[in-house]
Amino acid sequence: QVQLVESGGGLVQPGGSLRLSCAASGFTVDYYAIGWFRQAPGKEREWVSCIRRITGSTLYTDSVKGRFTTSRDNAKNTVYLQMNSLKPEDTAVYYCARTLTCSGDPRTYDYWGQGTQVTVSS
């Protein structure tokens, strides 16, 4: 069955880095677009990034451009979100999700991971 499993979250100081992983099973990750979302307490789920199917080209929300990088390892069937220069406002639960065409609308994604907590604090 289709499954997405995030890992790599944790507590990091401002300015630090984390790399999140999204391990996929039940489908081939490069045949689909994979998006990253985040949700902070009391806030709506926010689209962060997406890596397109086949080409692997990437999209980012403005607040993370230049700091976050999404990549894909087809051999491991895994998508990564490298997060650098982290800020306290990046604190959230981060989710990966599957879709066919990158979109900021969470309703267009059909499978979601369970999420991983990222906390940026001194």
Side-chain angles (χ1 to χ4, degrees):
Q1 70 276 22
V2 173
Q3 195 171 13
L4 296 165
V5 179
E6 301 97 336
S7 61
L11 173 64
V12 63
Q13 292 187 343
S17 298
L18 282 174
R19 188 179 77 159
L20 305 184
S21 299
C22 173
S25 58
F27 71 101
T28 303
V29 73
D30 58 331
Y31 288 178
Y32 288 84
I34 302 295
W36 286 97
F37 288 78
R38 64 187 180 186
Q39 188 165 20
K43 295 189 176 181
E44 292 188 354
R45 193 164 295 192
E46 174 191 21
W47 174 78
V48 175
S49 176
C50 189
I51 184 165
R52 290 188 175 100
R53 62 191 296 267
I54 309 301
T55 66
S57 60
T58 52
L59 300 167
Y60 302 93
T61 191
D62 285 347
S63 63
V64 309
K65 281 180 182 176
R67 301 189 298 122
F68 290 12
T69 303
T70 295
S71 62
R72 186 175 67 204
D73 185 332
N74 293 341
K76 294 183 177 180
N77 215 34
T78 299
V79 172
Y80 302 98
L81 181 66
Q82 177 67 44
M83 305 186 296
N84 298 329
S85 302
L86 282 161
K87 305 175 181 180
E89 51 264 42
D90 295 318
T91 295
V93 178
Y94 283 71
Y95 301 88
C96 62
R98 189 186 82 164
T99 188
L100 285 175
T101 303
C102 284
S103 165
D105 184 351
R107 296 172 297 179
T108 63
Y109 293 75
D110 58 356
Y111 286 92
W112 291 77
Q114 82 288 352
T116 186
Q117 176 71 47
V118 172
T119 302
V120 184
S121 175
S122 54

